[in-house]
Amino acid sequence: MRRLFVFILLASISTIRAQPPADLVITHGTVVTMNDKKDVIDDGVVVIRDAKLVAIGPAAIAANYAAKKTIDARGGIVMPGMINTHTHAAMTIFRSLGDDVADRLKRFMFPLEAKFVDREVVHWGTLHGMLEMVEGGVTTFVDMYYFEDEVARVAKQMGMRGVLGETVINQPAPDAKEPYGGFELAKKFIADFRGDPLITPAFAPHAPYSLDEAHLRAIAKESEALDAPVLMHVEEMPDEMATFRKDRNQTPIEFLDSIGLLNRHLVAAHCIFANDSDIALLKARDAGVAHNMVANIKSAKGVSPALKMFDQGVRVGLGTDGPMSGNTLDIIGQLGYVAKLHKLVNHDRTLAPSVKVVEMATIGGARAIHREADLGSLEAGKLADVIIFDVDATNLIPNYDVYATLVYGASGKDVRTTIINGRVIMEDRKLLTVDAADIKAHMRAMAKSIGERVGPVPK
Ligand SMILES: [Zn+2]
């Protein structure tokens, strides 16, 4: 009897030893992998160790791992985190100000930022923006703003992944008294955060029309030397198109190409007015595009031919733009608009099928930032950025087609759990790395102070 007991004990120890360890195992969810074959695994398992995805497979594989923590996602959707390829998170501080003002950027936004934006505003504004993104299932954000080193610090505090660009512009900025002062700040920022596991530091020249050619060429040269991304608003404004046509007889994209900025480092936001030859250039030069449908239609500028770009193999991801433009920062809220507006403008309901739109939000976003090797899908070896949807949201039942459910039925509020770099950042809608109530309290207090000083909003 005693011998048998010892034998069983030894056998069970050896079984445990044979099981490789895992930090986190997610069980029983509908796993939407977004891999090349678009595999969806009913009652699937996702295994995470050391910030990476170790295995994805059927329920049975869970028994192969000794898990430190298990999340039962029974009935819920498990999928790669959303990638927000263009935003200005700190501008949450100005959300709902001047939404319906004409020619807003120069008449209202730039003066507003000059008056109010400082390091503290960026600190709390970015935390608030990230709170909304994590709550809505965004695991990577691509941000262009001022005091971007502060954005990087709070992103690390939150545990969020970011491609973060320090703004360079031909006028004084909140963090640089002299025009183009951001260029030196950007170089220092890139030096300080290079190699960080969560932060990819970048240059953010504001737009082709708001920097001179010499500075744009200098940024192209530095980004090549430092292998750093370049984030930029491109072909967003009708007067931008008219000015480049008049002064150079070029489109802005042709101009960027002629000065060496249109390349694999560039993430071009908007591209609303890209023509067929622009699209061919974006593809040939392997540039990324951030498609911000909601911000673009709200600004009444037009619908970017992003679907055409995507179909022609351009690296297209989805973005929200800043919260003064698109107002909300979760990508799930974009999905239905992307699908429906491309159908509408092309008068064809078969276009932009839901699987393609989910692809843009996940692996497409990863391609847009040239990170498809380690982000954007649930595949062994990639970084563990994973979200889990509510098992019981009324609007997600029934769920015959998971892509249609996500695009046409889901909202950011249906995300229950967000995991970034293998770390659980939000579980059952509770933030684990930051004090959400404290962030909201600071935001309310700062907004009250700004509200008292902002003065009348121009008509
Ligand atoms: Zn923008």
Side-chain angles (χ1 to χ4, degrees), residues 149 153 166 181-194 201 203 222 226:
D149 59 320
R153 267 186 277 280
E166 168 67 28
F183 191 29
E184 288 308 313
L185 294 175
K187 283 190 271 187
K188 181 174 187 317
F189 170 57
I190 290 166
D192 288 348
F193 283 90
R194 276 179 83 80
F203 293 100
E222 286 291 332
L226 298 170

Side-chain angles (χ1 to χ4, degrees), residues 235 245 250-251 253-254 257 262 273-285 305 308 312 314:
E235 299 200 352
R245 184 55 63 200
Q250 283 177 316
T251 66
I253 286 175
E254 287 167 345
D257 187 44
L262 193 73
F273 302 107
N275 62 25
D276 285 351
S277 84
D278 286 338
I279 294 172
L281 270 177
L282 288 163
K283 165 80 179 134
R285 304 294 183 258
K308 193 178 198 180
Q312 293 187 16
V314 177

